[in-house]
């Protein structure tokens, strides 16, 4: 066992040389996830699932603060439901898994394994909503969904994935739009403050919006290979689904009306973004807030095993009150080997303690993101560790932000986008845009990119990079996962 | 809206008169769950899902304390996997849902939507486990599973339900048995201490064990109509699955061996047991520890709305630090109506506050389980509420335990069981038992009951109620959901 594992850090391909192989390798060796015998489906191992649990805790807190409650709707959807909203079925029908037999018999109507739950949820909302007093409805669900993808990749694209999907109903279009933007903002803060992932936020062009939405907002992250990753979306559904599913309410003025809806989701895909963005040649690297293990304590025995272990256990007890801590007290590995392993596992802060440290009432701390070691006193260790972790979190973000900002390339024409690409400048191409869908599609086609999002607040001056007419917004293009 | 709802308490059938109608009625009116348009599948509404979230929090804490971690395995299982363990496929094949199409194409091998995950998980364990150092493996997963039931009932039996399933692997049979019994004990404490549900604990007879297990332990609750409800099971799988899936490890002695496994689960079914056991003619009634709302504050305005609301909001703020609290500040309903509604919703503690109470610096408290009101000072309210809730929790258990104990009927022969049944004495029939499977089956058949469980610790003397031979254990029979 020991011999087999000793070389594992060396076995990881270099991120800078082959990011794709590196990515798969750190996920498998870091025991975040594994391939399953079922086509396109992955297994999320406990170390990877702990990342998801931290994400759930954060988002559940934010959803609750913004008035949402969790519920659960069936995973099966009658095929006819999917067809009720025309764009919706067009978008999802090609990639559904169908249950055709149950209890040994053929079903009279096949059941779709949910690819998303608007249709089944709207059928219930039609039953529950009668009056303006029943609004708003603010429900979220955590579940797994299935989309029969042709090519799959651990976390980034799998036939089954875990996610949360919020589904809300409002009295007015203004309230629905407010909700859509509010949840986009929750996602932006989640990405930037919690995961240390800088993102663009903005509206999708019509060609890229959710099937059935009036319009879609997105957070777009940038991977180290310059590819964009759509990491969370918030849809304003207008009254499309209300009309399709006959959801009506009696308003204050005694008139029956269709309400306005939103839906928004983040999936386990974002774990792929965390891995890609923060890892390095030594393996995984987790920002403290989302790290499965925030602090690892490695005891250095130097012949005083018992005393060192006792002190290390005491430190673990104290720190465990506030942090996620591991004490690596394994006998069969040397400290150096342990350092390598925990670095590969991406633990943001390591504390070493040996006989001399005990004498000096200190521990030796190393951060996953910087070289060098520092001594810190055992007194008030919790406070010191909190500061160190905050600092490490900020440095993760700063490093990612520097990369992000330096990979936004301005382009005043389609030719300029092509020049950027030809010169190896991969990232987001920021263009002034006239607002025409056709023009955006043509730019995407000619440059082999996709439009990623329309800048939310800034108004563009000058001329459209596509057609040369007057521009009114900035539109980002890029290549994407 | 107001008029429509005013009579809702009267609309609930009496529990004592028609428990089945009462059960459905309190679930629908209490907004715990609803029927869905998908055959046999239910929708869990936020108020019901909150019960499940409290259960998850409790069990996750207990699972973590006992060394388990959460993970996630695919919801699809190749049909051939289910067939690898002979008893397992026999038990589950008749009630599976089959995916036969994906992405518009027929699948070469149909996929089973998991009815339980032993087979898919064991296929991964075979890949991960190599050495005794990899053991024990202690993984739990929270997910939904599908069993194509013919007759379904909200919470108690549905085609799709939510559950947790623990799957562990051990080096020795002793460790596997220890784990199986440890998790049974976690379930017993969960039922009795957290849900206030008294249970029998014991082993299933072979005819009633899990398909593929060596033996199964169960917790069995007793519903008010005298029917038993299997509420959680813990299986010692022996090496059955290890052999079927070729899970082997190199032991300390350098010999390759099959490990020993366990699995154990509790599902949303247990929410049905909570509702059945604790509710009454006024509606739902939740023991404080699992209640979605533990304390409801109802302000009594008496012309001083602003001052009363201010005080009520302050009390809510204070109590919310420790408890799940609602403040019912709705204008459109009178206090009496609110009392009825929150009683129907099963909130264990109600606090009223009006102008006179503010003068006296007090609130008026009523418990869901007893008549009468008491005044309690606002000073140290949190401590007082904690004591009240503890007391209410204990009373919920005591009431259920009294019923439970008075519905265990001893029977020294099959005839005596029949006499109990004939006389309307519904419950558990406790018999001395010789240990023969055949004898137990014959007793069950002749009395139209099923064997529920073999008493764990007590040893029986005397003669077997079935065959009259020497008895060695007590075996409980009953009719079950």
């Amino acid at each position: 066992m020991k011999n087999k594992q000793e070389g594992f850090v060396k076995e990881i391909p270099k991120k800078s040389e082959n990011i794709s192989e590196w990515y798969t390798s750190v996920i498998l060796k870091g025991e975040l996830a594994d391939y399953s015998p079922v086509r396109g489906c992955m297994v999320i191992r406990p170390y990877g699932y702990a990342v998801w649990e931290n994400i759930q805790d954060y988002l559940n807190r934010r959803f609750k603060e913004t008035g949402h409650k969790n519920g659960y709707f069936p995973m099966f959807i009658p095929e006819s439901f999917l067809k009720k909203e025309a764009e919706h079925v067009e978008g999802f029908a090609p990639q559904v898994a169908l249950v055709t037999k149950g209890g040994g018999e053929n079903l009279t109507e096949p059941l779709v394994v949910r690819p998303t739950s608007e249709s089944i949820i709207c059928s219930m909302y039609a039953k529950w909503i009668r009056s303006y007093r029943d609004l708003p409805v603010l429900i979220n669900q955590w579940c797994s969904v299935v989309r029969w993808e042709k090519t799959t990749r651990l976390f980034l694209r799998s036939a089954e994935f875990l996610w949360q999907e919020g589904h809300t109903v409002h009295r007015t279009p203004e309230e629905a739009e407010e909700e859509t933007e509010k949840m986009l903002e929750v996602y932006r803060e989640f990405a930037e403050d919690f995961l240390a992932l800088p993102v663009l936020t903005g509206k999708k062009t019509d060609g890229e919006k959710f099937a059935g939405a009036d319009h879609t907002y997105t957070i777009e992250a940038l991977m180290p290979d310059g590819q964009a990753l759509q990491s969370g979306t918030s849809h304003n559904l207008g009254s499309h689904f209300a009309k399709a599913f006959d959801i009506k309410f009696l308003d204050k003025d005694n008139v029956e009306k269709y309400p306005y809806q939103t839906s928004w989701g983040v999936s386990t895909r974002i774990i792929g973004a965390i891995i890609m963005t923060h890892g390095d040649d030594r393996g995984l690297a987790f920002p403290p807030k989302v790290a499965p293990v925030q602090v690892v304590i490695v005891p250095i025995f130097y012949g005083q095993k018992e005393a060192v272990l006792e002190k290390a256990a005491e430190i673990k007890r104290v720190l465990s009150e506030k942090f996620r801590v591991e004490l690596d007290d394994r006998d069969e590995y040397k400290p150096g080997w342990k350092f390598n392993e925990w670095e590969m596992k991406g633990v943001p802060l390591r504390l070493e303690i040996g006989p001399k440290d005990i004498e000096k009432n200190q521990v030796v701390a190393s951060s996953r993101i910087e070289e060098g070691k520092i001594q810190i006193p055992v007194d008030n260790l919790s406070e010191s560790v909190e500061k160190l972790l905050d600092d490490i979190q900020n440095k993760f973000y700063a490093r990612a932000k520097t990369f992000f900002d330096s990979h936004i390339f301005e382009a005043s024409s389609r030719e300029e986008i092509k020049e950027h690409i030809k010169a190896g400048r991969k990232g987001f191409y920021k263009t002034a845009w006239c607002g025409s869908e056709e023009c955006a599609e043509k730019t995407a086609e000619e440059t082999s990119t996709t439009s990623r999002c329309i800048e939310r607040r800034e108004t563009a001056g000058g001329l459209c990079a596509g057609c040369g007419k007057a521009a009114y917004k900035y539109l980002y293009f890029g290549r994407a996962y």
Side-chain angles (χ1 to χ4, degrees), chain A residues 97-160:
Chain A
L98 275 188
V99 175
T100 59
K101 288 182 185 182
E105 287 172 22
N106 289 322
L107 304 185
T108 47
E109 180 182 1
L111 296 172
V112 169
V113 184
R114 65 182 158 223
T116 180
S117 301
E118 278 75 9
S119 59
I120 186 78
I121 291 180
C122 285
S123 79
M124 299 309 299
Y125 284 175
K127 197 172 159 185
W128 296 341
I129 294 166
R130 289 282 169 269
S131 149
Y132 71 92
R133 285 181 223 255
D134 300 327
L135 301 177
V137 174
L138 305 169
I139 298 181
N140 176 65
Q141 104 171 334
W142 294 91
C143 64
S144 74
V145 289
V146 171
R147 297 178 186 176
W148 215 256
E149 302 280 0
K150 288 222 165 55
T151 53
T152 59
R153 206 151 174 213
L154 292 168
F155 289 116
L156 291 173
R157 193 173 291 278
S158 50
E160 181 193 10

Side-chain angles (χ1 to χ4, degrees), chain A residues 54 89 103 135 146 173 205 234 254 275 283 310 344-345 356 407:
Chain A
N54 294 336
V89 65
L135 301 177
V146 171
T205 54
S234 182
N254 234 18
I275 297 165
E310 193 182 319
M344 188 274 287
K345 291 274 236 176
K356 285 208 172 147
H407 287 74

Side-chain angles (χ1 to χ4, degrees), chain A residues 330-342:
Chain A
R330 289 176 296 177
D331 257 340
E332 62 266 41
Y333 300 106
K334 294 229 156 69
W337 193 93
K338 292 179 181 177
F339 294 172
N340 280 349
E341 186 181 42
W342 291 108

Side-chain angles (χ1 to χ4, degrees), chain A residues 413-414 417-418 431 433 437-450 464-467 475 477:
Chain A
S413 66
R414 288 171 188 151
I417 296 179
K418 287 190 223 170
T431 68
W433 178 51
E437 183 63 29
E438 207 188 324
C439 176
E441 275 173 26
K442 202 165 170 200
T443 302
E445 202 191 313
E446 273 195 25
T447 59
S448 301
T449 61
T450 45
C464 173
C467 61
L475 176 60
F477 290 87

Side-chain angles (χ1 to χ4, degrees), chain A residues 334-406:
Chain A
K334 294 229 156 69
W337 193 93
K338 292 179 181 177
F339 294 172
N340 280 349
E341 186 181 42
W342 291 108
E343 277 174 3
M344 188 274 287
K345 291 274 236 176
V347 176
L349 183 63
R350 182 180 76 225
L351 302 180
E352 300 159 37
I353 183 157
K356 285 208 172 147
D357 301 310
I358 295 178
E359 265 172 39
K360 295 186 194 162
N361 199 32
Q362 67 176 28
V363 296
V364 176
S366 327
S367 137
R368 180 65 182 79
I369 198 162
E370 287 177 306
E371 297 295 322
K373 297 184 177 191
I374 56 167
Q375 281 85 36
I376 49 176
V378 169
D379 299 335
N380 297 318
L381 188 59
S382 239
E383 287 75 7
S384 308
V385 164
E386 185 157 21
K387 274 184 204 142
L388 278 173
L389 290 176
D390 278 351
D391 181 56
I392 294 170
Q393 178 83 23
N394 292 338
K395 282 178 176 146
F396 266 99
Y397 182 73
R399 184 172 70 174
K401 182 75 169 130
T402 301
F403 177 86
F404 187 87
D405 287 344
S406 65

Side-chain angles (χ1 to χ4, degrees), chain A residues 107-389:
Chain A
L107 304 185
T108 47
E109 180 182 1
L111 296 172
V112 169
V113 184
R114 65 182 158 223
T116 180
S117 301
E118 278 75 9
S119 59
I120 186 78
I121 291 180
C122 285
S123 79
M124 299 309 299
Y125 284 175
K127 197 172 159 185
W128 296 341
I129 294 166
R130 289 282 169 269
S131 149
Y132 71 92
R133 285 181 223 255
D134 300 327
L135 301 177
V137 174
L138 305 169
I139 298 181
N140 176 65
Q141 104 171 334
W142 294 91
C143 64
S144 74
V145 289
V146 171
R147 297 178 186 176
W148 215 256
E149 302 280 0
K150 288 222 165 55
T151 53
T152 59
R153 206 151 174 213
L154 292 168
F155 289 116
L156 291 173
R157 193 173 291 278
S158 50
E160 181 193 10
F161 58 87
L162 303 182
W163 80 345
Q164 60 67 217
E165 46 180 328
H167 294 269
T168 71
V169 192
H170 306 267
R171 201 174 71 83
T172 67
E174 292 75 21
E175 283 173 33
E177 179 61 16
E178 194 193 320
E179 168 82 5
T180 316
E181 296 200 42
K182 186 195 287 171
M183 300 323 287
L184 180 75
E185 186 59 15
V186 166
Y187 287 163
R188 186 194 64 73
E189 288 175 19
F190 161 62
E192 299 194 337
D193 301 347
F194 191 71
L195 307 177
L197 292 178
V199 288
L200 288 182
T201 64
K203 206 184 268 192
K204 286 282 184 189
T205 54
D206 278 356
E208 300 288 331
K209 73 178 185 190
F210 176 75
D214 195 77
H215 54 272
T216 286
Y217 291 101
T218 180
I219 57 170
E220 298 275 325
L222 189 67
M223 299 299 98
D225 57 0
Q227 302 238 74
L229 187 77
Q230 180 178 306
S231 302
T233 46
S234 182
H235 315 295
N236 186 327
L237 304 174
S239 291
H240 298 192
F241 284 88
K243 286 174 185 166
F245 286 86
D246 204 31
I247 308 174
K248 285 180 198 161
F249 70 99
L250 203 62
D251 205 353
K252 290 175 186 171
D253 56 10
N254 234 18
V255 175
E256 201 170 56
K257 295 174 187 170
Y258 291 114
Y260 298 83
Q261 295 181 259
T262 84
S263 68
W264 26 273
V266 155
S267 77
T268 38
R269 172 171 232 213
I270 206 155
I271 298 177
I274 302 170
I275 297 165
M276 279 262 185
T277 301
H278 299 304
D280 58 26
D281 287 351
R282 288 183 291 158
L284 298 163
F286 288 107
K289 287 184 186 173
V290 75
V293 178
Q294 298 175 303
V295 183
V296 62
I297 304 166
V298 180
I300 320 281
F301 300 145
Y302 281 129
Q304 299 189 29
K305 187 176 161 186
E306 213 164 301
V308 171
L309 268 187
E310 193 182 319
K311 190 70 185 170
E314 187 194 317
I315 288 172
K316 187 194 171 183
R317 257 195 314 279
V318 171
L319 293 181
S320 293
E321 283 170 24
K322 283 180 87 171
F323 311 102
R324 299 182 287 274
V325 185
E326 286 282 342
L327 165 59
D328 189 347
D329 56 6
R330 289 176 296 177
D331 257 340
E332 62 266 41
Y333 300 106
K334 294 229 156 69
W337 193 93
K338 292 179 181 177
F339 294 172
N340 280 349
E341 186 181 42
W342 291 108
E343 277 174 3
M344 188 274 287
K345 291 274 236 176
V347 176
L349 183 63
R350 182 180 76 225
L351 302 180
E352 300 159 37
I353 183 157
K356 285 208 172 147
D357 301 310
I358 295 178
E359 265 172 39
K360 295 186 194 162
N361 199 32
Q362 67 176 28
V363 296
V364 176
S366 327
S367 137
R368 180 65 182 79
I369 198 162
E370 287 177 306
E371 297 295 322
K373 297 184 177 191
I374 56 167
Q375 281 85 36
I376 49 176
V378 169
D379 299 335
N380 297 318
L381 188 59
S382 239
E383 287 75 7
S384 308
V385 164
E386 185 157 21
K387 274 184 204 142
L388 278 173
L389 290 176

